[in-house]
Amino acid sequence: MKNLFLTICFFIACQSFVFSQMIPDGILQDDTILYEKLYLHIDREIYSPGDDVWFKAYLVSGINNQPIPGFKNVYVELIAEDGRVIDQRLMLSIYGVSNNDFHLPATLPTGQYTIRAYTRYLQNFGEESLFHQKIAVSRTTDTPVIKEKNEEQKTIDVSFLPEGGHLVLNATNYVAFKAIDETGRGIQVSGKITDETGQEVASFESRYKGMGMFVFMPQEGKKYYARVDGYPDFQYSFEDALPDGVSMHYRENGINLQFILNRNFKSTGNRNLTLLASHKGQELFTEEVEMTGFQHPVDIYKGFFPHGITKITLYDEQNNVLAERLVFVRNSDGKTLTITSDKKEYQPREKIKLEIESLLDPGEDSIVTGLSVAVVNDAYFSEGGRTQTIESYLLLDSELKGPVESPASCFTDEESISADEKLDLVMMVNGWRRYYWDELKDRFNNPLPGWDDAGLAIEGEVKTLWGSDPVVGGTVELGPFSSEFLILKDTTDEAGRFSFNRLFLKDSAVVMLNAFNQKGRQSTQVFYEPVALFDTAVHPEEINRASRNIEMHEGYSRTSFNRHLAEREFQLEYGSILLGEVEVVEEYKSGPVVTGNYGFPDREFTLSDADREYNNLFKFLHFEVPGVFEYEEDSVRINNSSGTPLFFVDDMLENLEIVKFLPLKDIVKIEIIYPSKMINSPLNGLISILTRTGFGTFNYEFVRNIHGRITPRIRGFRQAREFYAPAYPLSEQDSTEKPDQRPTLYWEPHAVFENGIANLEFYASDMKGTYRVIAEGISKNGKICYHEAAFNVFQ
């Protein structure tokens, strides 16, 4: 079979193929990169049904965070709590970045949903290696929901984790702990450590998200227990301390990192120990230690450690592990970005100007893949702040087994606790014998599949017309749904099989496969075998365990209620009827429901057999639908609107190229919303189409035309939509009292710097509150670029 390093763009608008350049040898991924990480910058964390979810993928080396070169497939899924896949996106990562979006169905129930992203190569390392981010979807009620404090006592669980791994007898031991409730979230607790007589030997209190640390010295013949204040039924029994062990305590000591080794103070003799530092499975250095007393400090210059997590292991004379500990070293050169707004406070619909400055040395490094920038109302993030950032994911969450609670907040100083102390508690709790690289390094010994997964494959087999025997040595031609062009050829093997690989198909493409026998005759049968792009099964337990649920922001209910109220009043004023909250008992399958999010249709058309005589959808709309006219032969406009309307096919937003060639024989019903009646922007109206399948344009099976030919419709790379933001002041005709209640004011996946500056302009909406500006990116040398700023919109 041929391995065709070709990128082919299928432009449905003209039903022709256009060659792009052949992918050169050497531009594909470098085999020396041992591991990769995939992170998604998602515009916000809380949504309503009918909202859009915008995201950008960063695919980087797990070793140095540099963007993965070349082309690679990225798979993104939106998954419900029960494991149902709501939507999927196939994207092509080019030099480590790609972007796309989801449109949430208007009927989507309230709940927690997971955005799951992966590459074929990452799947070799299990579910924990994939990217997971929870989002919350909440329906607006007619009254704001006010949280009531639950005074009932909760069930708790507290883990106690000795620093280094074990308690050591007659030695100073530092013990970390974490207290969680029945949902797995950290809670504030206090308590005491007692011996078997009830004598208190130490006390403890949470410092951050249920985590804290205390010190005590176990003695011979004693049993120790932990009790938590306010929870009389809780008791924890400590394991017996090791009489010949060594504990290891870590702290920063000026420009050095200090590791204090403690052993049983009744021990005698010297011990020759080895301290080993490793980072992502690679040995950094060793330090020989001669321990003559019961305590021995070891100081190591901080500059020897890379930025991020390092594992420190203490070995005895026989190379047995005595103690082990993860440390997080913040050895960075400082900020990489600054964000400045022209004002700190704005009126609704006022222009906002942002200046983002790169602090990278232009002679050494640059952000070649562009920044992703989101500007979002603060109420649409989790209570307590954004849960994940590019910094927290690449440096923390992806390095430890199991999810870290609110990893983004670990990098922020607070009045009561510093970021360094937070990170050290996470190392002692989440990092207690759970370093991800310990397992990864063992898997690199064997070749792993999926590293060069790029583009699509079209595979199948050819059989004789009579007898259905394999056609050996036949020719298969891949071309467009047209007889004018010929693109690719392949020869069938001894089993009659063919394949075309590394193809780039845009959205949904109709292709033609012509098969000939050895004599050049088309007396054959062609069978196309769809290649499964996404996982066929998703385990809900694994998905829900991979990331924490979003805790609803206290201000979300009020903000969302005001948003709903403004839209409701506008609809009532313009004569529409807005229903109250409706409980979804069963999902309605027979027609498009997306229009309910934008208003209700002004006109509905059920197509007759006579209507289906039209050979072009736009011609039908032009001649049969009042107020819709064809514009420049490749688009339509509604009334006097200034642009193309939104097109939905079976509740899925589609681009113009796909809609244009929908066969009318497959269309059942068309709904029209005029621009003046829309409640949720944009301003050019909406056309919703219901097909016979009810599942959109990607569900069409192939059509046999003649012997030796099939025309399958291939689901390809979904093209990202452009984020819509109105520009005020609008014309008098368009600037009606229609509310502008956008929580996401701005989304730009590829903000570009000129002379180290990126200038952005957009307008505030009517939604008051604090807005967060989030900029994320990766430099060509792998430096994490991240910064946040804020401004207010008030009236």
Side-chain angles (χ1 to χ4, degrees):
M1 297 293 174
K2 293 183 179 179
N3 190 17
L4 300 170
F5 291 86
L6 293 174
T7 300
I8 301 175
C9 296
F10 287 68
F11 291 101
I12 306 304
C14 59
Q15 285 292 299
S16 64
F17 285 14
V18 178
F19 271 118
S20 71
Q21 294 181 349
M22 181 179 295
I23 301 175
D25 292 338
I27 200 170
L28 297 177
Q29 292 77 9
D30 185 355
D31 289 337
T32 62
I33 300 175
L34 299 180
Y35 187 61
E36 62 189 17
K37 292 182 180 181
L38 179 62
Y39 168 76
L40 262 61
H41 178 187
I42 303 168
D43 68 318
R44 49 187 159 114
E45 296 176 337
I46 303 176
Y47 299 85
S48 298
D51 281 351
D52 294 315
V53 182
W54 305 91
F55 54 87
K56 179 179 179 180
Y58 292 90
L59 183 63
V60 302
S61 163
I63 301 295
N64 55 27
N65 291 329
Q66 291 180 358
I68 298 290
F71 301 84
K72 202 156 192 178
N73 291 349
V74 172
Y75 306 84
V76 185
E77 299 170 325
L78 178 64
I79 302 173
E81 291 176 89
D82 60 3
R84 287 183 302 113
V85 177
I86 306 300
D87 207 349
Q88 299 167 325
R89 291 290 181 269
L90 173 62
M91 306 190 298
L92 187 66
S93 173
I94 303 176
Y95 199 75
V97 295
S98 53
N99 66 284
N100 223 293
D101 54 85
F102 288 123
H103 179 76
L104 301 179
T107 53
L108 197 64
T110 292
Q112 299 278 333
Y113 295 81
T114 300
I115 295 180
R116 177 179 185 249
Y118 54 92
T119 63
R120 290 287 180 233
Y121 183 74
L122 276 175
Q123 287 183 305
N124 291 302
F125 302 96
E127 191 67 39
E128 283 190 316
S129 296
L130 314 187
F131 174 84
H132 304 86
Q133 172 68 56
K134 283 283 197 312
I135 64 170
V137 176
S138 178
R139 290 186 168 276
T140 305
T141 61
D142 283 334
T143 56
V145 178
I146 300 175
K147 283 187 177 181
E148 295 183 3
K149 291 186 177 180
N150 187 359
E151 302 296 340
E152 294 183 7
Q153 193 178 67
K154 296 181 178 180
T155 303
I156 67 164
D157 183 38
V158 187
S159 300
F160 293 90
L161 309 160
E163 186 176 21
H166 300 280
L167 292 176
V168 178
L169 193 66
N170 294 321
T172 302
N173 289 265
Y174 289 79
V175 180
F177 67 90
K178 177 155 186 175
I180 59 174
D181 60 18
E182 63 272 14
T183 68
R185 292 189 177 277
I187 57 173
Q188 179 72 24
V189 296
S190 61
K192 56 184 177 291
I193 310 299
T194 64
D195 61 18
E196 74 280 0
T197 68
Q199 178 68 35
E200 181 178 334
V201 299
S203 62
F204 59 89
E205 185 174 359
S206 300
R207 291 280 294 146
Y208 174 70
K209 294 195 179 296
M211 295 183 290
M213 183 174 61
F214 60 91
V215 185
F216 85 114
M217 181 181 291
Q219 299 177 9
E220 292 102 330
K222 297 280 189 178
K223 291 289 293 182
Y224 296 95
Y225 304 91
R227 300 184 183 277
V228 179
D229 298 336
Y231 296 88
D233 295 334
F234 178 85
Q235 178 175 288
Y236 177 86
S237 176
F238 288 91
E239 294 182 356
D240 293 338
L242 300 178
D244 58 350
V246 178
S247 71
M248 179 172 59
H249 175 58
Y250 156 77
R251 68 182 183 184
E252 289 201 26
N253 184 25
I255 62 173
N256 296 322
L257 304 185
Q258 187 174 72
F259 302 90
I260 303 174
L261 309 182
N262 293 280
R263 63 173 176 166
N264 192 327
F265 64 73
K266 297 181 180 181
S267 300
T268 59
N270 297 348
R271 299 202 65 174
N272 295 313
L273 309 176
T274 302
L275 203 66
L276 170 66
S278 60
H279 178 73
K280 298 185 178 181
Q282 304 296 315
E283 181 178 318
L284 297 177
F285 56 84
T286 59
E287 181 84 11
E288 301 300 325
V289 179
E290 184 180 3
M291 194 170 185
T292 57
F294 66 88
Q295 186 177 82
H296 185 91
V298 180
D299 288 293
I300 303 176
Y301 175 53
K302 185 178 179 182
F304 290 160
F305 294 83
H307 188 51
I309 297 176
T310 295
K311 183 174 72 170
I312 307 297
T313 308
L314 182 68
Y315 294 93
D316 67 8
E317 297 85 347
Q318 287 75 42
N319 214 32
N320 298 312
V321 176
L322 291 177
E324 196 165 75
R325 210 244 207 224
L326 299 186
V327 298
F328 194 100
V329 180
R330 303 181 80 187
N331 217 359
S332 176
D333 297 328
K335 291 196 304 183
T336 54
L337 301 171
T338 61
I339 302 175
T340 306
S341 56
D342 60 330
K343 298 171 63 176
K344 293 298 181 184
E345 294 183 333
Y346 298 90
Q347 296 285 343
R349 307 195 182 195
E350 185 178 355
K351 179 182 281 190
I352 299 166
K353 296 181 180 180
L354 295 180
E355 180 182 280
I356 304 178
E357 182 180 3
S358 170
L359 302 181
L360 300 173
D361 185 342
E364 297 181 358
D365 204 359
S366 61
I367 307 172
V368 296
T369 56
L371 283 179
S372 50
V373 182
V375 183
V376 181
N377 189 291
D378 199 56
Y380 286 76
F381 292 102
S382 179
E383 182 69 30
R386 191 170 174 228
T387 61
Q388 190 72 274
T389 68
I390 192 169
E391 179 184 40
S392 66
Y393 184 78
L394 294 182
L395 295 180
L396 186 65
D397 206 33
S398 61
E399 298 280 290
L400 302 174
K401 289 179 64 62
V404 178
E405 184 177 356
S406 299
S409 64
C410 295
F411 292 82
T412 304
D413 290 323
E414 299 180 25
E415 289 186 9
S416 60
I417 185 170
S418 68
D420 288 332
E421 186 179 350
K422 292 179 186 178
L423 288 166
D424 197 48
L425 286 171
V426 171
M427 293 301 99
M428 294 182 69
V429 173
N430 292 77
W432 199 76
R433 298 176 178 174
R434 300 169 74 187
Y435 192 36
Y436 194 61
W437 287 89
D438 289 342
E439 295 183 8
L440 286 181
K441 65 180 182 180
D442 297 331
R443 306 192 192 186
F444 294 135
N445 298 327
N446 301 317
L448 298 173
W451 184 252
D452 60 349
D453 177 43
L456 298 170
I458 295 179
E459 300 177 355
E461 60 181 338
V462 181
K463 296 183 178 181
T464 59
L465 194 57
W466 296 277
S468 296
D469 297 321
V471 173
V472 180
T475 301
V476 180
E477 299 174 349
L478 170 64
F481 190 53
S482 166
S483 60
E484 299 177 8
F485 301 97
L486 173 65
I487 301 300
L488 299 174
K489 291 184 179 182
D490 193 21
T491 302
T492 56
D493 62 13
E494 62 277 1
R497 297 194 58 79
F498 65 89
S499 68
F500 299 94
N501 303 310
R502 297 196 184 281
L503 304 174
F504 176 77
L505 307 184
K506 187 179 177 183
D507 290 308
S508 175
V510 178
V511 300
M512 180 180 293
L513 289 166
N514 290 302
F516 305 86
N517 60 23
Q518 286 182 316
K519 296 181 180 180
R521 296 175 180 172
Q522 215 165 353
S523 55
T524 59
Q525 302 178 76
V526 191
F527 297 91
Y528 159 67
E529 299 175 3
V531 178
L533 295 177
F534 293 86
D535 288 345
T536 55
V538 179
H539 301 289
E541 298 83 6
E542 292 186 3
I543 294 299
N544 294 319
R545 189 169 55 243
S547 58
R548 303 283 187 188
N549 281 353
I550 298 299
E551 186 175 356
M552 300 300 291
H553 194 287
E554 283 191 0
Y556 169 76
S557 177
R558 179 181 63 257
T559 303
S560 181
F561 169 74
N562 291 335
R563 175 187 181 188
H564 171 73
L565 183 64
E567 292 168 353
R568 178 190 181 95
E569 290 176 347
F570 175 77
Q571 280 208 320
L572 291 175
E573 182 178 347
Y574 278 79
S576 301
I577 300 174
L578 188 64
L579 298 177
E581 182 180 17
V582 177
E583 180 181 359
V584 179
V585 178
E586 185 175 356
E587 191 174 350
Y588 181 59
K589 297 290 187 181
S590 64
V593 292
V594 69
T595 50
N597 183 56
Y598 291 91
F600 291 88
D602 297 296
R603 287 185 175 272
E604 298 181 9
F605 298 89
T606 300
L607 271 67
S608 65
D609 291 339
D611 294 329
R612 296 189 180 95
E613 294 298 323
Y614 282 95
N615 60 4
N616 180 286
L617 173 61
F618 290 173
K619 294 292 185 185
F620 168 78
L621 294 172
H622 175 72
F623 288 107
E624 302 293 341
V625 179
V628 179
F629 63 94
E630 194 169 12
Y631 180 77
E632 295 183 354
E633 297 185 357
D634 61 354
S635 180
V636 293
R637 301 287 171 88
I638 300 177
N639 290 335
N640 294 320
S641 60
S642 59
T644 305
L646 288 177
F647 279 98
F648 281 84
V649 179
D650 298 324
D651 201 26
M652 293 295 296
L653 188 66
E654 292 287 8
N655 63 39
L656 198 63
E657 288 82 2
I658 291 179
V659 173
K660 183 176 179 179
F661 287 93
L662 280 175
L664 267 70
K665 64 182 180 61
D666 292 324
I667 297 176
V668 175
K669 186 179 181 181
I670 296 175
E671 296 181 344
I672 310 292
I673 298 181
Y674 293 136
S676 61
K677 302 295 183 65
M678 293 187 69
I679 61 174
N680 270 343
S681 295
L683 305 173
N684 298 315
L686 181 148
I687 298 177
S688 179
I689 298 167
L690 172 65
T691 69
R692 292 184 187 277
T693 62
F695 292 99
T697 62
F698 296 139
N699 199 48
Y700 298 140
E701 297 295 332
F702 63 77
V703 179
R704 287 189 189 281
N705 295 328
I706 59 174
H707 296 158
R709 174 182 296 173
I710 55 174
T711 56
R713 181 179 290 274
I714 311 297
R715 179 175 182 174
F717 292 87
R718 187 66 178 268
Q719 301 303 291
R721 292 180 294 145
E722 184 176 350
F723 179 82
Y724 170 80
Y728 296 109
L730 300 173
S731 66
E732 185 174 343
Q733 177 182 355
D734 294 330
S735 59
T736 63
E737 291 79 7
K738 185 179 73 169
D740 180 0
Q741 296 288 324
R742 294 170 292 126
T744 299
L745 295 184
Y746 186 79
W747 167 256
E748 174 52 69
H750 301 291
V752 178
F753 291 93
E754 293 185 10
N755 299 320
I757 301 293
N759 290 301
L760 310 175
E761 292 185 0
F762 52 92
Y763 289 84
S765 67
D766 297 333
M767 186 181 290
K768 295 180 290 185
T770 299
Y771 283 81
R772 194 178 305 188
V773 183
I774 303 164
E776 296 189 336
I778 287 287
S779 77
K780 67 178 182 181
N781 291 338
K783 186 176 287 293
I784 296 171
C785 302
Y786 166 74
H787 194 58
E788 289 192 14
F791 61 81
N792 295 315
V793 175
F794 70 100
Q795 201 162 14

